[in-house]
Amino acid sequence: VNISSFYLSKFPVTQLQWRAVMKTLPSISSEFRHDNFPVVNVWLEQALDSCAQLSRLTGQTYRLPTEAEWEYA
């Protein structure tokens, strides 16, 4: 498998970052709500929507990694 160069975040998306892009959070128990905690309870469609929204906001292209990219990373 050949993989072209790509960037991958070193850290998970935080609740603060998710809220900045998507304006709302998925349903999260109050004990796990904190701006610096990773966002959880996200469906694939929501993750794809967040990539599309971030791309619109920044003018850059964001997407989820492919399986091969994930394995490589």
Side-chain angles (χ1 to χ4, degrees), residues 18-33:
W18 182 272
R19 206 170 37 252
V21 173
M22 300 302 288
K23 307 301 181 214
T24 63
L25 281 175
S27 178
I28 301 173
S29 173
S30 62
E31 64 188 295
F32 297 110
R33 279 191 184 263

Side-chain angles (χ1 to χ4, degrees), residues 3-14:
I3 299 175
S4 300
S5 63
F6 66 97
Y7 291 98
L8 182 66
S9 178
K10 185 175 179 177
F11 302 101
V13 175
T14 66

Side-chain angles (χ1 to χ4, degrees), residues 21-23 48-58:
V21 173
M22 300 302 288
K23 307 301 181 214
L48 294 171
D49 288 345
S50 72
C51 289
Q53 178 66 7
L54 184 58
S55 294
R56 280 191 294 275
L57 291 172
T58 64

